[in-house]
Amino acid sequence: MQPTDAPTRTPAKSGFADALETWYRGVYRRLPWRETRDAYAIWLSEVMLQQTQVATVLPYYARFLAAYPTVQALAEADDEAVLKLWEGLGYYSRCRNMLKAARAIVAEHGGRFPEDLDAATALPGIGRSTAGAILTFAYGQRHPLLDGNVRRVLARVFDVAEDPAKPAVQRRMWELSEGLLAPSEDPFTFNQAIMELGATVCVPNAPKCLLCPVHAHCDAFAHGTQAERPIKPKRKATPHYDIGVGLLRDAEGRYYVQRRPAEGLLGGMWEFPGGKREPGEDLAETVRRELREELGVEVAVGAFLMRVDHAYSHFKVSLYAYFCTPLEGEPRPNAGEAFQWLPADALDALPFPKANRTILKLLRERDAEA
Ligand code: SF4
């Protein structure tokens, strides 16, 4: 049998569900979100686990649930306190969407996560696969999944030779997911198992096919194409930006920080001011220009503190942090966002993105020694 260019029918995979579920019952990891049927706790875990490893999520999940044990508690929470708890986990729009969704659940669904798939996917930040997982794990419903792990497993089991991100292939993948789930008498176990298989056996690089409970059902294994599945579109080179950051310090040793707009990248997080280096500029000029444009203040750029490299999903940055002294004008963000002057140790209480947090850490140590 040849690899399929485009999957056009749901091939029978008799025995797949049984083999997968039997394996799972023997090896599954005891994770707190598998020990509960509380839709809110399961929803939290599904959101935190997007793009994030289990080991990273575990402490965040425990702290978050301790602080906000119910959807009502989250709905009433202060946005900044919630972002602070999320600090370091990244993809902060997940957190902002959870807050919005919690408030919608309290306002429109009587404080209970909706049991209907359409109502669940209408909530901010909840796509079809996340909704399907929550409804399966909390309410025992039967829904196919198509998160990153499941997509990879399906692309290999059915040897899908097209980019799964294409809408037509994606639609077909949903059918394949549904077709594999159909014979199962235990959708909870099946869905947990297929996610677990993707996370621990059918991993992105070097899948452990010889240990795989479904290798007898796997077309890519039969064809020797598993390393080429799923097909990845050719990626453009990841852009990289140099960012000049101003550590604007007043006579009392306090630093100026501002809050980013509520929507968009790192929305609602605090940061030191600065921006992208223009072609031909040196970094001190970047800092001077950015602070003039952003805050309406002239500054003297002093000592260099550090460089921090950081990768986001679609670009990379290098932050270059310089101490600055205001010469003329009172810094005020153009966009009217909130700002504060605080000593380095007091800045700790605010939610900062990871790269800014690295700068803050060194700043605090330096100021403590001074
Ligand atoms: Fe993945 Fe290999 Fe198992 Fe196929 S046999 S599902 S490629 S681990």
Side-chain angles (χ1 to χ4, degrees), residues 149-210:
N149 282 329
V150 176
R151 189 179 295 118
R152 184 171 58 257
V153 171
L154 293 176
R156 289 171 172 165
V157 167
F158 294 99
D159 202 9
V160 177
E162 278 198 288
D163 175 6
K166 287 184 183 165
V169 184
Q170 171 122 331
R171 275 196 296 279
R172 184 63 185 143
M173 303 277 287
W174 275 110
E175 290 170 17
L176 294 174
S177 186
E178 200 157 10
L180 275 188
L181 171 64
S184 171
E185 289 173 7
D186 181 357
F188 179 101
T189 299
F190 181 94
N191 279 347
Q192 291 285 5
I194 197 161
M195 292 165 96
E196 186 83 341
L197 187 78
T200 61
V201 176
C202 196
V203 290
N205 300 314
K208 303 166 189 167
C209 300
L210 296 178

Side-chain angles (χ1 to χ4, degrees), residues 64-273:
F64 202 98
L65 269 189
Y68 307 111
T70 61
V71 72
Q72 286 80 5
L74 180 60
E76 288 164 11
D78 171 65
D79 291 34
E80 198 157 289
V82 177
L83 264 180
K84 179 72 190 161
L85 264 185
W86 205 278
E87 185 188 85
L89 203 53
Y91 300 97
Y92 296 97
S93 59
R94 295 182 296 179
C95 177
R96 296 194 304 272
N97 279 333
M98 261 208 88
L99 258 172
K100 285 185 204 157
R103 288 166 187 159
I105 289 170
V106 168
E108 297 160 24
H109 299 284
R112 181 172 158 80
F113 194 94
E115 292 191 33
D116 174 69
L117 188 70
D118 289 339
T121 52
L123 293 167
I126 300 185
R128 180 175 166 190
S129 190
T130 301
I134 298 165
L135 298 186
T136 303
F137 302 146
Y139 301 142
Q141 297 180 13
R142 175 186 294 270
H143 295 284
L145 307 184
L146 198 57
D147 68 357
N149 282 329
V150 176
R151 189 179 295 118
R152 184 171 58 257
V153 171
L154 293 176
R156 289 171 172 165
V157 167
F158 294 99
D159 202 9
V160 177
E162 278 198 288
D163 175 6
K166 287 184 183 165
V169 184
Q170 171 122 331
R171 275 196 296 279
R172 184 63 185 143
M173 303 277 287
W174 275 110
E175 290 170 17
L176 294 174
S177 186
E178 200 157 10
L180 275 188
L181 171 64
S184 171
E185 289 173 7
D186 181 357
F188 179 101
T189 299
F190 181 94
N191 279 347
Q192 291 285 5
I194 197 161
M195 292 165 96
E196 186 83 341
L197 187 78
T200 61
V201 176
C202 196
V203 290
N205 300 314
K208 303 166 189 167
C209 300
L210 296 178
L211 301 175
C212 176
V214 293
H215 72 250
H217 307 273
C218 178
D219 294 344
F221 180 64
H223 302 142
T225 52
Q226 60 272 50
E228 294 142 45
R229 305 285 182 260
I231 295 281
K232 291 185 192 70
K234 287 198 181 70
R235 288 195 119 188
K236 292 188 204 137
T238 310
H240 175 270
Y241 305 108
D242 286 332
I243 308 288
V245 174
L247 306 172
L248 196 53
R249 195 167 191 260
D250 70 7
E252 293 153 53
R254 300 175 311 169
Y255 294 92
Y256 172 91
V257 289
Q258 59 195 23
R259 190 161 57 198
R260 293 179 63 89
E263 297 302 327
L265 181 73
L266 308 175
M269 306 291 280
W270 288 79
E271 65 177 6
F272 298 105

